[in-house]
Amino acid sequence: MLNIIWIFFFVAAFFTALFKLLFLGDQQVFAQIMTAMFSLSKSAFEISIGLTGVLALWLGIMRIGERSGFIQLMTQGLTPLFSRLMPDIPKDHPALGAIVMNISANALGLDNAATPMGIKAMKELQTLNPRPDTASNAQILFLVINTSGVTLFPVTIFTYRAQLGAVNPTDVFIPILLATYMSTLGGLLAVAFVQKINLLDKVVMAYLGGLTLLVAGIIGYFSSLPQQQMLEQSALMSNVILYTLVVVFILGAIHKGINAYEAFIDGAKEGFQTAITIIPYLVAMLVAIGVFRASGALDLLADLARYLTSLFMIDDRFIDALPTALMKPFSGSGARAMMIDTMKTMGADSFAGRLSSIVQGSTETTFYVLAIYFGAVGIKNIRHAAACGIIADFAGIMAAIFVAYWFFG
């Protein structure tokens, strides 16, 4: 899919530029495309190198949290919920522990740990699957929760925002939490409807009710504030929560007798490697998006979308962030490049820059997760997994747009 999208950008840019040259007399369009290719390849390299320090910082902190036992703590806390959402899994089966560990790792932003745990969980679930080539109910629910992107600490997005000049890189933290909550809730409700899961179970109601009350409390509190004060309080709360997390991780390491400094260094080394690794991917996608934009093709699509929204008298500022939303279900790296392109073009603190960040943090890459997890166990018939995943994506994107207007509109 990513290959098709990447090729489309270049081919569409070529034919758009050719049309502008032959029929509109634009003799500069191909020069603009070539300028975009060279300038954006340089920018991609500079962004990747600039990310090194911040990535090293956050991955180091997350490694402390990982070794301090916070994944195990979250696993213990979430096990009662998932044992009821997936009644087909026997008690004490290793699949349950692997599922909760994967979701806990995702919630903490530990992508490096989450994917191997997710594949392990899918393999454990496959041992319970009576039809090995067809996704079971438990496998589908597990996958949809993954695609809904339950991330409590989207540190990668903060990293990019800091690199691209955001005054307060974490000001999207509360909006992302609200959007990812709606994404997860949408996916869960869709699967529960199809699979007839009993969401009125006391334990399930306690978890969902508690989380919903927390989200409702956040919404109620910020609804009572004027917009400027809401932004100030949101930024303050985000920074307090994130720094408290850092201190709690360190205190947990002290309690466990773990050398926090060495754990940080191990994670920071991985941050350096990550920054180097993403250079070719970022160059590939930013250049492709750059030529697509320079040719005028992206503007044509945006103008069409603006025309359609004008028919319904809708504020059209969200359209500049729409490419990130449309790319997100298909390609994580593509959506990340779209987000970076939006922030570079419009500004990290622009409405579109913030909205693209919220969209990026609200959901996961549905079709990538489908391919990786189901491919790992040879499942061919995915049943309602894709449809429920797309519902979760739609819920997250719509919530992201709503929250962005509320906080930053």
Side-chain angles (χ1 to χ4, degrees), residues 5-22:
I5 293 170
W6 191 76
I7 291 172
F8 168 78
F9 282 144
F10 281 98
V11 175
F14 174 77
F15 283 108
T16 303
L18 196 62
F19 177 85
K20 292 175 73 174
L21 173 64
L22 297 178

Side-chain angles (χ1 to χ4, degrees), residues 340-401:
I340 292 170
D341 179 70
T342 301
M343 287 195 283
K344 279 180 63 64
T345 305
M346 307 289 176
D349 287 331
S350 66
F351 179 81
R354 283 169 165 148
L355 175 54
S356 63
S357 300
I358 299 168
V359 167
Q360 180 73 2
S362 65
T363 63
E364 192 44 80
T365 311
T366 298
F367 291 101
Y368 172 80
V369 174
L370 279 167
I372 292 296
Y373 284 5
F374 282 159
V377 292
I379 286 176
K380 298 176 182 177
N381 181 5
I382 64 172
R383 299 171 63 209
H384 50 278
C388 292
I390 292 298
I391 289 172
D393 289 339
F394 181 77
I397 290 167
M398 294 303 296
I401 294 172

Side-chain angles (χ1 to χ4, degrees), residues 85 151 176 180 208-211 220 247 295 305 307 342 345-346 356 368 402:
L85 291 177
T151 303
I176 287 175
T180 194
L208 296 183
L211 185 58
V247 174
S295 71
Y307 171 74
T342 301
T345 305
M346 307 289 176
S356 63
Y368 172 80
F402 175 80

Side-chain angles (χ1 to χ4, degrees), residues 314-330:
I314 299 173
D315 187 315
D316 64 2
R317 286 177 297 161
F318 73 93
I319 290 172
D320 291 321
L322 209 54
T324 304
L326 296 176
M327 181 71 76
K328 186 63 178 176
F330 301 99

